[in-house]
Amino acid sequence: MNITGRNSIGYSWTATGDTVLSAYNPVSREILPERFIAATEAEMETALTRATAAFTIYRHISGADKATFLEAIAAEILALGDVLLHRAVAESGLPLARITGERGRTMQQLQLFATLLREGSWVEAVIDTAIPDRQPLPRPDLRTMWQPLGPVLVFPASNFPLAFSTAGGDTAAALAAGNPVIVKAHESHPGTNELVAGAISRAAATCGMPDGVFSSLNGYGHTLGQALVRHPAIKAIGFTGSQRAGKAIMATAAARPIPIPVYAEMGSINPVLLLPGKVATSAAALAQQYAASITQGAGQFCTNPGLLIAMAGPDTDHFAELLALALQQVQPAPMLNKGVYEQYYAGLKSLQQQDGVRTLQAGVPAADALAYPALLQVDSEVFTTHAHLQEEVFGPSSLLVTCKDMVALQQTIIQLQGQLTATVLGDRYDLQQYAVEIQLLQDKAGRILFNGVPTGVEVCEAMVHGGPFPASSDARSTSVGTAAIRRFVRPVCLQDCPPALLPDALKEDNPLHIWRKVNGQWTR
């Protein structure tokens, strides 16, 4: 399939502008030959007009038909075959096996939401029937359920060109909820975006979805992205990326005459609490395990373990030596793009320049533009008094914080910012002895792991991929798992609504056979 560089606007493909974008291969360090035309203001307006019109139809399409649409998207993505895989590899520098697995995850997400829609109870229908003879006042008939918001804007991630991108979790959740989607294509993988956008467009046409249910626009974040955020047709935003970009989007959305929700996943340093018993008995195994986790995908995971917290002492020193040696054995790897590479070394330099920070392992940036693994160490007294030591260094590095006593350990945890994940490594005695510290960690993160590594996010019903600010903009939400659908809906209560106007989920005879809460009791 040829890549044209055009914008997908509903069922149309257009390229009327004169601003050109190009993709970059981080392995060969070459500009890829295709040229992508940034969407003009007129093209943006057309996409938004079509999305608004599509919403009036798409919101009423049955859950079963929307499920078929999502499954058709997954099938179309698979049908792209090696063309999609090799393009994603070329634009990201990630290995083919990783991209192949990511394609599977993308399809799994779509299929998971399809299953959710077919079952139907996700709308959380609640019915309190009328009590006309109640004293002193009668109770009206009240029926509530989740309903979609309107066109949703999605900003894809740079580090997951498929699973957190054009047809990724944000798009799947928004479409499942009944909202049209407009994607602002990521500048790092525009060719991958175009291929997937074409798959979604073909699936929409095959399933009879309204024109404008999906669009994808090329452009830069500070121009097209901000213009889309400001536009009144956009009713919610899904974003995955840096804190800087996420905060800029949040500020623009909040300044609108009518503010809208922004669900921004902005990464974290994912603290790992290394408890003494575990470190004493398993230092070698932990060093190997965490060297692999820190460097997986060149450290370009939002769940990368960028912070290790341990009690000071000989066992921790031994673990640090083993981890530094293990990191030395890991080959340097290309990063996603020039900007990510430069920011990685800028972040490392900022940490290394702080008094009290010691470098245990770090490569020197070279002409090969590869990221070398790094391990730094600092005492908790320095860590807790310098907030910039908590800034994410996006890449294959980690900072070991050593605490002289339990008070210092608790203070370190208390001063942590919000995180996507936190991990506890301990034996049975550790988990009892440090119960207070483990509870403190639960206040800081959306997901707590025990005796594992945080790199890896399971796509399932129970997953939470979010956390307190600044890990995400709303700690009540998740960007992975079926609960993500709740970001793009709002509760609507119908009072004394005529039966003929009730949606199926709220009708008396429950034609969808979903679970509902009726007069305080769950029933079908």
Side-chain angles (χ1 to χ4, degrees), residues 1 8 10-13 58 61 64-80 107 110 114 166-167 171 175 194-215:
M1 180 176 294
S8 169
Y11 290 142
S12 303
W13 291 84
Y58 187 62
I61 289 176
D65 287 343
K66 288 199 289 286
T68 299
F69 175 34
L70 296 181
E71 289 170 339
I73 294 173
E76 290 286 352
I77 289 173
L78 182 61
L80 289 169
M107 296 165 60
L110 292 161
T166 309
T171 296
L175 289 175
E194 183 179 321
L195 292 170
V196 176
I200 299 174
S201 181
R202 288 189 296 276
T206 300
C207 297
M209 297 295 118
D211 185 13
V213 72
F214 177 83
S215 294

mmCIF file of all heavy atoms in Angstrom, residues 1 8 10-13 58 61 64-80 107 110 114 166-167 171 175 194-215:
data_model
loop_
_atom_site.group_PDB
_atom_site.id
_atom_site.type_symbol
_atom_site.label_atom_id
_atom_site.label_comp_id
_atom_site.label_asym_id
_atom_site.label_seq_id
_atom_site.Cartn_x
_atom_site.Cartn_y
_atom_site.Cartn_z
ATOM 1 N N MET A 1 0.847 -1.189 0.000
ATOM 2 C CA MET A 1 0.000 0.000 0.000
ATOM 3 C C MET A 1 0.890 1.250 0.000
ATOM 4 O O MET A 1 1.827 1.351 0.785
ATOM 5 C CB MET A 1 -0.909 0.010 1.226
ATOM 6 C CG MET A 1 -1.832 1.216 1.305
ATOM 7 S SD MET A 1 -2.949 1.106 2.705
ATOM 8 C CE MET A 1 -3.930 -0.309 2.216
ATOM 9 N N SER A 8 -6.509 12.233 6.434
ATOM 10 C CA SER A 8 -7.752 11.469 6.394
ATOM 11 C C SER A 8 -8.842 12.289 7.070
ATOM 12 O O SER A 8 -8.794 12.521 8.283
ATOM 13 C CB SER A 8 -7.568 10.130 7.116
ATOM 14 O OG SER A 8 -8.801 9.487 7.315
ATOM 15 N N GLY A 10 -12.723 12.065 7.491
ATOM 16 C CA GLY A 10 -13.858 11.208 7.219
ATOM 17 C C GLY A 10 -13.482 10.219 6.130
ATOM 18 O O GLY A 10 -12.464 9.533 6.196
ATOM 19 N N TYR A 11 -14.278 10.188 5.078
ATOM 20 C CA TYR A 11 -14.007 9.277 3.962
ATOM 21 C C TYR A 11 -13.176 9.932 2.854
ATOM 22 O O TYR A 11 -12.960 9.331 1.803
ATOM 23 C CB TYR A 11 -15.321 8.752 3.383
ATOM 24 C CG TYR A 11 -16.046 7.803 4.307
ATOM 25 C CD1 TYR A 11 -17.428 7.823 4.416
ATOM 26 C CD2 TYR A 11 -15.337 6.886 5.076
ATOM 27 C CE1 TYR A 11 -18.095 6.949 5.261
ATOM 28 C CE2 TYR A 11 -15.984 6.019 5.926
ATOM 29 C CZ TYR A 11 -17.366 6.044 6.022
ATOM 30 O OH TYR A 11 -18.021 5.177 6.859
ATOM 31 N N SER A 12 -12.688 11.153 3.088
ATOM 32 C CA SER A 12 -11.897 11.866 2.085
ATOM 33 C C SER A 12 -10.425 11.886 2.483
ATOM 34 O O SER A 12 -10.079 11.813 3.661
ATOM 35 C CB SER A 12 -12.397 13.304 1.927
ATOM 36 O OG SER A 12 -13.760 13.343 1.582
ATOM 37 N N TRP A 13 -9.562 11.982 1.465
ATOM 38 C CA TRP A 13 -8.127 12.152 1.689
ATOM 39 C C TRP A 13 -7.694 13.419 0.972
ATOM 40 O O TRP A 13 -7.867 13.531 -0.247
ATOM 41 C CB TRP A 13 -7.353 10.943 1.148
ATOM 42 C CG TRP A 13 -7.597 9.694 1.962
ATOM 43 C CD1 TRP A 13 -8.628 8.826 1.828
ATOM 44 C CD2 TRP A 13 -6.792 9.209 3.034
ATOM 45 N NE1 TRP A 13 -8.524 7.811 2.746
ATOM 46 C CE2 TRP A 13 -7.397 8.015 3.500
ATOM 47 C CE3 TRP A 13 -5.617 9.645 3.640
ATOM 48 C CZ2 TRP A 13 -6.869 7.264 4.556
ATOM 49 C CZ3 TRP A 13 -5.087 8.887 4.679
ATOM 50 C CH2 TRP A 13 -5.705 7.725 5.120
ATOM 51 N N TYR A 58 -23.782 8.525 15.211
ATOM 52 C CA TYR A 58 -22.965 7.474 15.821
ATOM 53 C C TYR A 58 -23.351 7.214 17.274
ATOM 54 O O TYR A 58 -23.318 6.062 17.737
ATOM 55 C CB TYR A 58 -21.491 7.856 15.724
ATOM 56 C CG TYR A 58 -20.538 6.780 16.160
ATOM 57 C CD1 TYR A 58 -20.471 5.560 15.498
ATOM 58 C CD2 TYR A 58 -19.698 6.969 17.262
ATOM 59 C CE1 TYR A 58 -19.593 4.563 15.899
ATOM 60 C CE2 TYR A 58 -18.822 5.991 17.667
ATOM 61 C CZ TYR A 58 -18.770 4.785 16.983
ATOM 62 O OH TYR A 58 -17.894 3.798 17.393
ATOM 63 N N ILE A 61 -25.938 4.504 17.475
ATOM 64 C CA ILE A 61 -25.677 3.174 16.905
ATOM 65 C C ILE A 61 -25.546 2.165 18.039
ATOM 66 O O ILE A 61 -24.961 2.446 19.090
ATOM 67 C CB ILE A 61 -24.414 3.218 16.031
ATOM 68 C CG1 ILE A 61 -24.726 4.012 14.746
ATOM 69 C CG2 ILE A 61 -23.921 1.829 15.672
ATOM 70 C CD1 ILE A 61 -23.541 4.211 13.845
ATOM 71 N N ALA A 64 -23.782 -3.435 19.724
ATOM 72 C CA ALA A 64 -23.373 -4.565 18.885
ATOM 73 C C ALA A 64 -22.766 -4.091 17.579
ATOM 74 O O ALA A 64 -21.755 -4.643 17.109
ATOM 75 C CB ALA A 64 -24.577 -5.477 18.618
ATOM 76 N N ASP A 65 -23.356 -3.056 16.978
ATOM 77 C CA ASP A 65 -22.822 -2.551 15.704
ATOM 78 C C ASP A 65 -21.497 -1.820 15.918
ATOM 79 O O ASP A 65 -20.593 -1.916 15.074
ATOM 80 C CB ASP A 65 -23.841 -1.632 15.038
ATOM 81 C CG ASP A 65 -25.023 -2.397 14.449
ATOM 82 O OD1 ASP A 65 -24.896 -3.624 14.273
ATOM 83 O OD2 ASP A 65 -26.059 -1.770 14.168
ATOM 84 N N LYS A 66 -21.373 -1.106 17.017
ATOM 85 C CA LYS A 66 -20.084 -0.471 17.310
ATOM 86 C C LYS A 66 -19.024 -1.535 17.572
ATOM 87 O O LYS A 66 -17.858 -1.373 17.201
ATOM 88 C CB LYS A 66 -20.211 0.497 18.492
ATOM 89 C CG LYS A 66 -20.972 1.769 18.180
ATOM 90 C CD LYS A 66 -20.687 2.871 19.174
ATOM 91 C CE LYS A 66 -21.291 2.614 20.535
ATOM 92 N NZ LYS A 66 -22.764 2.819 20.549
ATOM 93 N N ALA A 67 -19.414 -2.618 18.219
ATOM 94 C CA ALA A 67 -18.471 -3.713 18.464
ATOM 95 C C ALA A 67 -17.978 -4.305 17.149
ATOM 96 O O ALA A 67 -16.779 -4.574 16.980
ATOM 97 C CB ALA A 67 -19.142 -4.793 19.310
ATOM 98 N N THR A 68 -18.894 -4.482 16.206
ATOM 99 C CA THR A 68 -18.501 -4.989 14.887
ATOM 100 C C THR A 68 -17.524 -4.032 14.211
ATOM 101 O O THR A 68 -16.563 -4.471 13.551
ATOM 102 C CB THR A 68 -19.750 -5.179 14.013
ATOM 103 O OG1 THR A 68 -20.611 -6.148 14.640
ATOM 104 C CG2 THR A 68 -19.389 -5.662 12.620
ATOM 105 N N PHE A 69 -17.739 -2.739 14.371
ATOM 106 C CA PHE A 69 -16.850 -1.717 13.819
ATOM 107 C C PHE A 69 -15.444 -1.857 14.416
ATOM 108 O O PHE A 69 -14.435 -1.873 13.688
ATOM 109 C CB PHE A 69 -17.443 -0.339 14.100
ATOM 110 C CG PHE A 69 -16.586 0.832 13.709
ATOM 111 C CD1 PHE A 69 -15.759 0.800 12.599
ATOM 112 C CD2 PHE A 69 -16.619 2.003 14.469
ATOM 113 C CE1 PHE A 69 -14.970 1.899 12.244
ATOM 114 C CE2 PHE A 69 -15.859 3.097 14.124
ATOM 115 C CZ PHE A 69 -15.025 3.044 13.027
ATOM 116 N N LEU A 70 -15.348 -1.983 15.727
ATOM 117 C CA LEU A 70 -14.036 -2.115 16.365
ATOM 118 C C LEU A 70 -13.328 -3.384 15.912
ATOM 119 O O LEU A 70 -12.113 -3.377 15.666
ATOM 120 C CB LEU A 70 -14.195 -2.115 17.886
ATOM 121 C CG LEU A 70 -14.746 -0.833 18.526
ATOM 122 C CD1 LEU A 70 -14.813 -0.973 20.038
ATOM 123 C CD2 LEU A 70 -13.902 0.385 18.157
ATOM 124 N N GLU A 71 -14.059 -4.463 15.792
ATOM 125 C CA GLU A 71 -13.451 -5.709 15.319
ATOM 126 C C GLU A 71 -13.003 -5.593 13.868
ATOM 127 O O GLU A 71 -11.968 -6.158 13.480
ATOM 128 C CB GLU A 71 -14.456 -6.842 15.476
ATOM 129 C CG GLU A 71 -14.701 -7.222 16.933
ATOM 130 C CD GLU A 71 -15.867 -8.168 17.105
ATOM 131 O OE1 GLU A 71 -16.733 -8.235 16.209
ATOM 132 O OE2 GLU A 71 -15.925 -8.839 18.156
ATOM 133 N N ALA A 72 -13.756 -4.831 13.076
ATOM 134 C CA ALA A 72 -13.360 -4.617 11.685
ATOM 135 C C ALA A 72 -12.071 -3.800 11.602
ATOM 136 O O ALA A 72 -11.230 -4.041 10.721
ATOM 137 C CB ALA A 72 -14.482 -3.916 10.917
ATOM 138 N N ILE A 73 -11.897 -2.844 12.507
ATOM 139 C CA ILE A 73 -10.640 -2.078 12.543
ATOM 140 C C ILE A 73 -9.475 -3.026 12.819
ATOM 141 O O ILE A 73 -8.430 -2.964 12.151
ATOM 142 C CB ILE A 73 -10.705 -0.977 13.619
ATOM 143 C CG1 ILE A 73 -11.752 0.080 13.266
ATOM 144 C CG2 ILE A 73 -9.333 -0.312 13.776
ATOM 145 C CD1 ILE A 73 -11.985 1.105 14.363
ATOM 146 N N ALA A 74 -9.642 -3.900 13.804
ATOM 147 C CA ALA A 74 -8.581 -4.857 14.129
ATOM 148 C C ALA A 74 -8.249 -5.733 12.922
ATOM 149 O O ALA A 74 -7.069 -5.988 12.625
ATOM 150 C CB ALA A 74 -9.005 -5.719 15.319
ATOM 151 N N ALA A 75 -9.272 -6.181 12.208
ATOM 152 C CA ALA A 75 -9.042 -7.029 11.037
ATOM 153 C C ALA A 75 -8.315 -6.271 9.935
ATOM 154 O O ALA A 75 -7.420 -6.811 9.269
ATOM 155 C CB ALA A 75 -10.371 -7.573 10.525
ATOM 156 N N GLU A 76 -8.679 -5.015 9.725
ATOM 157 C CA GLU A 76 -8.025 -4.199 8.693
ATOM 158 C C GLU A 76 -6.566 -3.928 9.053
ATOM 159 O O GLU A 76 -5.696 -3.888 8.173
ATOM 160 C CB GLU A 76 -8.783 -2.887 8.494
ATOM 161 C CG GLU A 76 -10.149 -3.021 7.822
ATOM 162 C CD GLU A 76 -10.029 -3.292 6.322
ATOM 163 O OE1 GLU A 76 -8.911 -3.225 5.776
ATOM 164 O OE2 GLU A 76 -11.068 -3.577 5.700
ATOM 165 N N ILE A 77 -6.280 -3.723 10.334
ATOM 166 C CA ILE A 77 -4.893 -3.521 10.765
ATOM 167 C C ILE A 77 -4.075 -4.776 10.490
ATOM 168 O O ILE A 77 -2.953 -4.710 9.971
ATOM 169 C CB ILE A 77 -4.849 -3.141 12.260
ATOM 170 C CG1 ILE A 77 -5.392 -1.721 12.445
ATOM 171 C CG2 ILE A 77 -3.429 -3.244 12.812
ATOM 172 C CD1 ILE A 77 -5.558 -1.307 13.894
ATOM 173 N N LEU A 78 -4.626 -5.933 10.820
ATOM 174 C CA LEU A 78 -3.920 -7.187 10.559
ATOM 175 C C LEU A 78 -3.686 -7.373 9.061
ATOM 176 O O LEU A 78 -2.624 -7.854 8.644
ATOM 177 C CB LEU A 78 -4.716 -8.355 11.124
ATOM 178 C CG LEU A 78 -4.078 -9.738 10.982
ATOM 179 C CD1 LEU A 78 -2.743 -9.804 11.714
ATOM 180 C CD2 LEU A 78 -5.025 -10.813 11.497
ATOM 181 N N ALA A 79 -4.664 -6.968 8.251
ATOM 182 C CA ALA A 79 -4.557 -7.150 6.799
ATOM 183 C C ALA A 79 -3.447 -6.306 6.187
ATOM 184 O O ALA A 79 -2.983 -6.597 5.076
ATOM 185 C CB ALA A 79 -5.894 -6.816 6.132
ATOM 186 N N LEU A 80 -2.994 -5.266 6.888
ATOM 187 C CA LEU A 80 -1.882 -4.457 6.379
ATOM 188 C C LEU A 80 -0.586 -5.262 6.339
ATOM 189 O O LEU A 80 0.350 -4.899 5.618
ATOM 190 C CB LEU A 80 -1.699 -3.209 7.247
ATOM 191 C CG LEU A 80 -2.787 -2.145 7.129
ATOM 192 C CD1 LEU A 80 -2.635 -1.104 8.228
ATOM 193 C CD2 LEU A 80 -2.745 -1.479 5.762
ATOM 194 N N MET A 107 -4.778 -4.760 18.502
ATOM 195 C CA MET A 107 -5.960 -5.527 18.122
ATOM 196 C C MET A 107 -6.694 -6.049 19.359
ATOM 197 O O MET A 107 -7.929 -6.046 19.425
ATOM 198 C CB MET A 107 -5.559 -6.680 17.212
ATOM 199 C CG MET A 107 -4.966 -6.223 15.873
ATOM 200 S SD MET A 107 -4.103 -7.557 15.003
ATOM 201 C CE MET A 107 -5.445 -8.720 14.805
ATOM 202 N N LEU A 110 -8.904 -3.331 20.902
ATOM 203 C CA LEU A 110 -10.132 -3.141 20.135
ATOM 204 C C LEU A 110 -11.120 -4.269 20.405
ATOM 205 O O LEU A 110 -12.325 -4.041 20.589
ATOM 206 C CB LEU A 110 -9.800 -3.053 18.648
ATOM 207 C CG LEU A 110 -9.029 -1.799 18.208
ATOM 208 C CD1 LEU A 110 -8.367 -2.021 16.859
ATOM 209 C CD2 LEU A 110 -9.961 -0.586 18.154
ATOM 210 N N ALA A 114 -14.857 -4.298 22.161
ATOM 211 C CA ALA A 114 -15.977 -4.899 21.431
ATOM 212 C C ALA A 114 -16.754 -5.855 22.334
ATOM 213 O O ALA A 114 -17.998 -5.858 22.347
ATOM 214 C CB ALA A 114 -15.480 -5.625 20.183
ATOM 215 N N THR A 166 -2.678 5.832 16.709
ATOM 216 C CA THR A 166 -3.852 6.150 15.904
ATOM 217 C C THR A 166 -5.055 5.288 16.244
ATOM 218 O O THR A 166 -6.180 5.781 16.351
ATOM 219 C CB THR A 166 -3.501 6.013 14.417
ATOM 220 O OG1 THR A 166 -2.296 6.769 14.164
ATOM 221 C CG2 THR A 166 -4.622 6.528 13.542
ATOM 222 N N ALA A 167 -4.851 3.987 16.393
ATOM 223 C CA ALA A 167 -5.944 3.081 16.776
ATOM 224 C C ALA A 167 -5.691 2.516 18.169
ATOM 225 O O ALA A 167 -6.138 1.422 18.491
ATOM 226 C CB ALA A 167 -6.079 1.943 15.769
ATOM 227 N N THR A 171 -8.264 5.982 21.288
ATOM 228 C CA THR A 171 -9.195 5.914 20.155
ATOM 229 C C THR A 171 -10.218 4.806 20.368
ATOM 230 O O THR A 171 -11.423 5.003 20.145
ATOM 231 C CB THR A 171 -8.423 5.687 18.848
ATOM 232 O OG1 THR A 171 -7.575 6.817 18.599
ATOM 233 C CG2 THR A 171 -9.363 5.504 17.674
ATOM 234 N N LEU A 175 -14.230 5.645 20.674
ATOM 235 C CA LEU A 175 -15.165 5.076 19.707
ATOM 236 C C LEU A 175 -16.156 4.144 20.398
ATOM 237 O O LEU A 175 -17.351 4.141 20.080
ATOM 238 C CB LEU A 175 -14.409 4.330 18.618
ATOM 239 C CG LEU A 175 -13.609 5.170 17.615
ATOM 240 C CD1 LEU A 175 -12.815 4.265 16.678
ATOM 241 C CD2 LEU A 175 -14.517 6.099 16.806
ATOM 242 N N GLU A 194 -0.711 7.015 8.784
ATOM 243 C CA GLU A 194 -1.540 6.998 7.582
ATOM 244 C C GLU A 194 -2.034 5.592 7.264
ATOM 245 O O GLU A 194 -3.195 5.403 6.879
ATOM 246 C CB GLU A 194 -0.768 7.557 6.389
ATOM 247 C CG GLU A 194 -1.624 7.618 5.119
ATOM 248 C CD GLU A 194 -0.887 8.186 3.927
ATOM 249 O OE1 GLU A 194 -0.102 9.138 4.106
ATOM 250 O OE2 GLU A 194 -1.094 7.672 2.814
ATOM 251 N N LEU A 195 -1.176 4.604 7.435
ATOM 252 C CA LEU A 195 -1.590 3.230 7.165
ATOM 253 C C LEU A 195 -2.731 2.808 8.094
ATOM 254 O O LEU A 195 -3.719 2.206 7.666
ATOM 255 C CB LEU A 195 -0.407 2.285 7.316
ATOM 256 C CG LEU A 195 0.701 2.415 6.266
ATOM 257 C CD1 LEU A 195 1.916 1.590 6.667
ATOM 258 C CD2 LEU A 195 0.201 1.989 4.891
ATOM 259 N N VAL A 196 -2.609 3.132 9.378
ATOM 260 C CA VAL A 196 -3.639 2.749 10.340
ATOM 261 C C VAL A 196 -4.906 3.571 10.129
ATOM 262 O O VAL A 196 -6.028 3.050 10.233
ATOM 263 C CB VAL A 196 -3.118 2.886 11.778
ATOM 264 C CG1 VAL A 196 -4.226 2.581 12.780
ATOM 265 C CG2 VAL A 196 -1.936 1.953 12.011
ATOM 266 N N ALA A 197 -4.747 4.857 9.805
ATOM 267 C CA ALA A 197 -5.925 5.684 9.516
ATOM 268 C C ALA A 197 -6.709 5.117 8.345
ATOM 269 O O ALA A 197 -7.953 5.107 8.348
ATOM 270 C CB ALA A 197 -5.494 7.119 9.234
ATOM 271 N N GLY A 198 -5.994 4.627 7.346
ATOM 272 C CA GLY A 198 -6.662 3.999 6.214
ATOM 273 C C GLY A 198 -7.425 2.757 6.632
ATOM 274 O O GLY A 198 -8.538 2.491 6.145
ATOM 275 N N ALA A 199 -6.848 1.988 7.551
ATOM 276 C CA ALA A 199 -7.526 0.784 8.050
ATOM 277 C C ALA A 199 -8.819 1.153 8.766
ATOM 278 O O ALA A 199 -9.864 0.503 8.587
ATOM 279 C CB ALA A 199 -6.599 0.013 8.984
ATOM 280 N N ILE A 200 -8.771 2.202 9.583
ATOM 281 C CA ILE A 200 -9.976 2.630 10.304
ATOM 282 C C ILE A 200 -11.031 3.136 9.330
ATOM 283 O O ILE A 200 -12.225 2.832 9.455
ATOM 284 C CB ILE A 200 -9.622 3.717 11.340
ATOM 285 C CG1 ILE A 200 -8.641 3.168 12.376
ATOM 286 C CG2 ILE A 200 -10.885 4.241 12.022
ATOM 287 C CD1 ILE A 200 -8.114 4.201 13.349
ATOM 288 N N SER A 201 -10.603 3.905 8.331
ATOM 289 C CA SER A 201 -11.543 4.443 7.340
ATOM 290 C C SER A 201 -12.230 3.323 6.569
ATOM 291 O O SER A 201 -13.448 3.355 6.333
ATOM 292 C CB SER A 201 -10.800 5.380 6.385
ATOM 293 O OG SER A 201 -11.680 5.931 5.432
ATOM 294 N N ARG A 202 -11.466 2.310 6.173
ATOM 295 C CA ARG A 202 -12.064 1.185 5.447
ATOM 296 C C ARG A 202 -13.040 0.415 6.329
ATOM 297 O O ARG A 202 -14.110 -0.011 5.870
ATOM 298 C CB ARG A 202 -10.966 0.253 4.917
ATOM 299 C CG ARG A 202 -10.173 0.849 3.751
ATOM 300 C CD ARG A 202 -9.261 -0.182 3.126
ATOM 301 N NE ARG A 202 -8.220 -0.641 4.044
ATOM 302 C CZ ARG A 202 -7.068 -0.010 4.254
ATOM 303 N NH1 ARG A 202 -6.821 1.130 3.612
ATOM 304 N NH2 ARG A 202 -6.174 -0.493 5.092
ATOM 305 N N ALA A 203 -12.689 0.245 7.588
ATOM 306 C CA ALA A 203 -13.589 -0.451 8.505
ATOM 307 C C ALA A 203 -14.882 0.336 8.699
ATOM 308 O O ALA A 203 -15.969 -0.243 8.739
ATOM 309 C CB ALA A 203 -12.894 -0.671 9.847
ATOM 310 N N ALA A 204 -14.763 1.653 8.800
ATOM 311 C CA ALA A 204 -15.955 2.500 8.971
ATOM 312 C C ALA A 204 -16.876 2.381 7.766
ATOM 313 O O ALA A 204 -18.105 2.263 7.903
ATOM 314 C CB ALA A 204 -15.534 3.952 9.200
ATOM 315 N N ALA A 205 -16.292 2.393 6.581
ATOM 316 C CA ALA A 205 -17.101 2.286 5.367
ATOM 317 C C ALA A 205 -17.771 0.919 5.275
ATOM 318 O O ALA A 205 -18.965 0.815 4.950
ATOM 319 C CB ALA A 205 -16.232 2.545 4.139
ATOM 320 N N THR A 206 -17.017 -0.130 5.572
ATOM 321 C CA THR A 206 -17.565 -1.478 5.506
ATOM 322 C C THR A 206 -18.736 -1.660 6.471
ATOM 323 O O THR A 206 -19.719 -2.335 6.151
ATOM 324 C CB THR A 206 -16.468 -2.506 5.829
ATOM 325 O OG1 THR A 206 -15.415 -2.386 4.873
ATOM 326 C CG2 THR A 206 -17.010 -3.921 5.816
ATOM 327 N N CYS A 207 -18.635 -1.033 7.634
ATOM 328 C CA CYS A 207 -19.655 -1.201 8.676
ATOM 329 C C CYS A 207 -20.768 -0.149 8.603
ATOM 330 O O CYS A 207 -21.653 -0.135 9.471
ATOM 331 C CB CYS A 207 -18.996 -1.158 10.047
ATOM 332 S SG CYS A 207 -17.826 -2.505 10.339
ATOM 333 N N GLY A 208 -20.723 0.729 7.604
ATOM 334 C CA GLY A 208 -21.777 1.719 7.454
ATOM 335 C C GLY A 208 -21.773 2.800 8.511
ATOM 336 O O GLY A 208 -22.828 3.376 8.830
ATOM 337 N N MET A 209 -20.601 3.130 9.044
ATOM 338 C CA MET A 209 -20.495 4.203 10.024
ATOM 339 C C MET A 209 -20.611 5.564 9.329
ATOM 340 O O MET A 209 -20.273 5.690 8.144
ATOM 341 C CB MET A 209 -19.164 4.114 10.778
ATOM 342 C CG MET A 209 -19.004 2.854 11.597
ATOM 343 S SD MET A 209 -20.190 2.732 12.946
ATOM 344 C CE MET A 209 -21.083 1.246 12.473
ATOM 345 N N PRO A 210 -21.063 6.603 10.029
ATOM 346 C CA PRO A 210 -21.246 7.905 9.388
ATOM 347 C C PRO A 210 -19.923 8.550 8.978
ATOM 348 O O PRO A 210 -18.901 8.379 9.656
ATOM 349 C CB PRO A 210 -21.946 8.736 10.465
ATOM 350 C CG PRO A 210 -21.599 8.065 11.754
ATOM 351 C CD PRO A 210 -21.496 6.607 11.445
ATOM 352 N N ASP A 211 -19.944 9.262 7.864
ATOM 353 C CA ASP A 211 -18.773 9.992 7.388
ATOM 354 C C ASP A 211 -18.354 10.997 8.457
ATOM 355 O O ASP A 211 -19.161 11.811 8.908
ATOM 356 C CB ASP A 211 -19.115 10.720 6.082
ATOM 357 C CG ASP A 211 -17.917 11.393 5.458
ATOM 358 O OD1 ASP A 211 -16.783 11.114 5.884
ATOM 359 O OD2 ASP A 211 -18.130 12.216 4.534
ATOM 360 N N GLY A 212 -17.085 10.933 8.873
ATOM 361 C CA GLY A 212 -16.598 11.831 9.916
ATOM 362 C C GLY A 212 -16.461 11.175 11.271
ATOM 363 O O GLY A 212 -16.033 11.826 12.227
ATOM 364 N N VAL A 213 -16.793 9.877 11.369
ATOM 365 C CA VAL A 213 -16.632 9.198 12.645
ATOM 366 C C VAL A 213 -15.155 9.110 13.023
ATOM 367 O O VAL A 213 -14.811 8.989 14.208
ATOM 368 C CB VAL A 213 -17.272 7.800 12.597
ATOM 369 C CG1 VAL A 213 -16.452 6.832 11.748
ATOM 370 C CG2 VAL A 213 -17.460 7.242 14.001
ATOM 371 N N PHE A 214 -14.270 9.219 12.021
ATOM 372 C CA PHE A 214 -12.832 9.215 12.291
ATOM 373 C C PHE A 214 -12.121 10.090 11.279
ATOM 374 O O PHE A 214 -12.424 10.057 10.084
ATOM 375 C CB PHE A 214 -12.255 7.799 12.211
ATOM 376 C CG PHE A 214 -10.760 7.768 12.404
ATOM 377 C CD1 PHE A 214 -10.209 7.760 13.666
ATOM 378 C CD2 PHE A 214 -9.896 7.783 11.314
ATOM 379 C CE1 PHE A 214 -8.831 7.758 13.845
ATOM 380 C CE2 PHE A 214 -8.524 7.784 11.479
ATOM 381 C CZ PHE A 214 -7.986 7.769 12.749
ATOM 382 N N SER A 215 -11.171 10.893 11.781
ATOM 383 C CA SER A 215 -10.277 11.675 10.915
ATOM 384 C C SER A 215 -8.887 11.677 11.534
ATOM 385 O O SER A 215 -8.732 11.511 12.749
ATOM 386 C CB SER A 215 -10.769 13.120 10.759
ATOM 387 O OG SER A 215 -11.997 13.179 10.076
#
